[in-house]
Amino acid sequence: MTGGQTERSSGYRGRITELLSLDATLALAGMCKNAGKTTVLNRLLAELGQERRTVALTSIGRDGETEDVATGTHKPRIYVEEGTIFATASDLLYNCDTSTEILAMSGVSTPMGEVVICRARSGGFLDLAGPSMNQQLVELSEQFRQFEPDKILVDGAISRKSLCSRRVAGEVILCTGASYHRDVDVVVADTAYIAELLQLPEAAEAAWRDCLLLARRELGEGNKILVLGEDGAWHVPGRGEKLVDVLRDKQYQKCRYFWLEGAVTDAMLRPLLLSNVPLAERVFVAEDSSKLLLGEDTYRKLGRRGGSIRVLWQIYLRAITVNPFSAYGNHFDGKELKEKMQAAVDLPVLDVKEEKDDFIDL
């Protein structure tokens, strides 16, 4: 899609798989509970099944149950075709109505038993509970690959922005909807802001990145900052030194790039905004957008002062899906929600419930 006004105003109406690459793991991330992630997942599974693609599937946290334990509302179950590879906690295998072949034990423990890698030998519904930590998801994805799936899908948990890490997934679909807030304009504005963060570009070329990766090994405990010096090398400021103090240091006053290890928070950047330290053309670099735990006010003020944030690894946000139905009763007009969202972002926007006719009952 080109992003022209006619297409943007009506939203994307093609197949979701047309927006994806086959060689990258896809994560579904939600702005809130009941954002429609399971509906989107079922749509994807149906499309990939029609294309005769082999899918490997897991969830961070639990999904696939018939009732939301927090709201008591009905939830769509996860339907898979024969041949689908999936990973779920061993205790939940009894809730899956597919014929199941156990392929491997993952070594990942959950309160509902060890995560088991299986293959569906018939179509049916799944009850999923996968790893709860990013590193476990990375390891599970590597185990999936030995069975040569065409696509790996990870169904996310509520507001788990960390799921958008490039270590976990190469591409992301962001799901939002009426359950996030009673005001449609708040839903649109907040989703558009998160989408903007998720699409931040990479800081520089590969050689620059390689140099930074080597320098990160020198960061000891308490060191969270690296500075790209005028000599082209990365320098480690004093242990535990705050960012605002680093920028005040005379030896770094002409430096432009500052690496921030770990989470980038309001508490880290607000002292800069309250100081008279020059921020014009200063670039603060995070690992990827999942590390940016910033309120929009802080982010915008940094931009107005001439500073910017970039990432080491770009996240590829492929689409935004909207759900006009709320678990709390404050439903939106679906057409209004999709049109407002499409006007706010330069991405495909889909109301999957609206366009389900060619698929199984989602």
Side-chain angles (χ1 to χ4, degrees):
M1 189 172 77
T2 63
Q5 187 58 45
T6 301
E7 291 171 314
R8 283 170 58 86
S9 63
S10 60
Y12 184 78
R13 303 190 69 85
R15 298 171 69 86
I16 303 178
T17 52
E18 294 173 358
L19 305 172
L20 309 178
S21 61
L22 276 178
D23 59 350
T25 298
L26 172 70
L28 300 177
M31 289 287 292
C32 59
K33 291 184 71 65
N34 303 107
K37 287 189 291 82
T38 305
T39 300
V40 176
L41 177 61
N42 277 330
R43 168 73 177 266
L44 275 166
L45 289 169
E47 288 187 10
L48 290 164
Q50 288 180 349
E51 296 171 8
R52 301 190 182 279
R53 304 289 188 178
T54 303
V55 178
L57 169 67
T58 193
S59 174
I60 186 164
R62 186 174 179 181
D63 204 356
E65 67 272 36
T66 59
E67 183 177 289
D68 189 290
V69 294
T71 65
T73 54
H74 172 75
K75 291 186 62 177
R77 297 201 67 191
I78 298 170
Y79 183 87
V80 298
E81 302 284 353
E82 178 183 357
T84 301
I85 300 164
F86 64 95
T88 190
S90 57
D91 291 355
L92 297 185
L93 286 176
Y94 302 101
N95 298 342
C96 302
D97 65 5
T98 61
S99 298
T100 301
E101 173 191 1
I102 295 178
L103 299 176
M105 306 299 291
S106 71
V108 175
S109 297
T110 78
M112 289 170 282
E114 183 176 353
V115 174
V116 185
I117 301 175
C118 305
R119 191 192 311 273
R121 285 304 185 184
S122 65
F125 293 98
L126 301 182
D127 199 345
L128 292 180
S132 59
M133 300 173 61
N134 281 359
Q135 183 56 39
Q136 293 173 332
L137 278 171
V138 172
E139 294 168 1
L140 182 58
S141 292
E142 289 302 315
Q143 294 179 63
F144 273 154
R145 289 189 177 94
Q146 68 179 300
F147 303 107
E148 300 182 340
D150 294 312
K151 190 70 177 175
I152 298 175
L153 304 179
V154 180
D155 190 24
I158 175 175
S159 300
R160 282 296 295 267
K161 190 178 168 188
S162 62
L163 183 64
C164 299
S165 168
R166 268 284 295 274
R167 296 178 63 242
V168 173
E171 49 193 3
V172 173
I173 290 177
L174 181 62
C175 307
T176 190
S179 291
Y180 178 78
H181 197 277
R182 297 184 67 87
D183 188 329
V184 64
D185 292 325
V186 172
V187 174
V188 170
D190 287 1
T191 303
Y193 169 61
I194 294 300
E196 182 177 344
L197 291 187
L198 291 178
Q199 296 180 93
L200 284 176
E202 292 175 354
E205 66 280 354
W208 185 96
R209 179 188 296 138
D210 292 342
C211 181
L212 173 57
L213 291 172
L214 288 172
R216 288 180 69 188
R217 299 176 184 176
E218 300 179 18
L219 283 173
E221 186 166 349
N223 294 117
K224 297 292 184 180
I225 303 169
L226 287 168
V227 183
L228 184 62
E230 295 180 82
D231 57 358
W234 289 92
H235 300 269
V236 182
R239 179 177 176 179
E241 195 166 358
K242 294 181 179 179
L243 181 59
V244 66
D245 297 323
V246 172
L247 269 69
R248 285 194 178 113
D249 194 319
K250 290 183 178 180
Q251 65 179 313
Y252 302 130
Q253 285 183 356
K254 294 184 179 180
C255 296
R256 184 182 178 195
Y257 288 96
F258 299 82
W259 167 260
L260 306 180
E261 185 77 13
V264 181
T265 64
D266 289 333
M268 181 183 295
L269 296 187
R270 277 175 183 158
L272 293 180
L273 302 175
L274 296 172
S275 74
N276 60 358
V277 172
L279 298 179
E281 297 187 4
R282 299 291 180 93
V283 181
F284 304 97
V285 185
E287 182 172 346
D288 59 44
S289 295
S290 72
K291 302 295 185 183
L292 302 178
L293 308 181
L294 294 174
E296 186 171 6
D297 182 63
T298 300
Y299 178 74
R300 300 296 180 206
K301 285 179 178 177
L302 178 67
R304 287 195 290 270
R305 290 277 300 273
S308 62
I309 297 177
R310 294 292 181 265
V311 293
L312 186 62
W313 307 106
Q314 185 177 359
I315 290 169
Y316 296 101
L317 182 60
R318 299 304 191 192
I320 292 175
T321 66
V322 294
N323 179 12
F325 299 98
S326 169
Y328 312 104
N330 52 294
H331 308 315
F332 295 154
D333 177 88
K335 182 179 179 182
E336 178 190 17
L337 173 60
K338 187 165 75 169
E339 288 184 348
K340 285 189 171 185
M341 189 66 70
Q342 190 64 83
V345 299
D346 191 17
L347 285 162
V349 176
L350 303 90
D351 180 346
V352 181
K353 294 282 282 186
E354 177 186 86
E355 300 168 17
K356 69 179 183 179
D357 297 342
D358 295 333
F359 301 92
I360 59 172
D361 184 10
L362 306 183

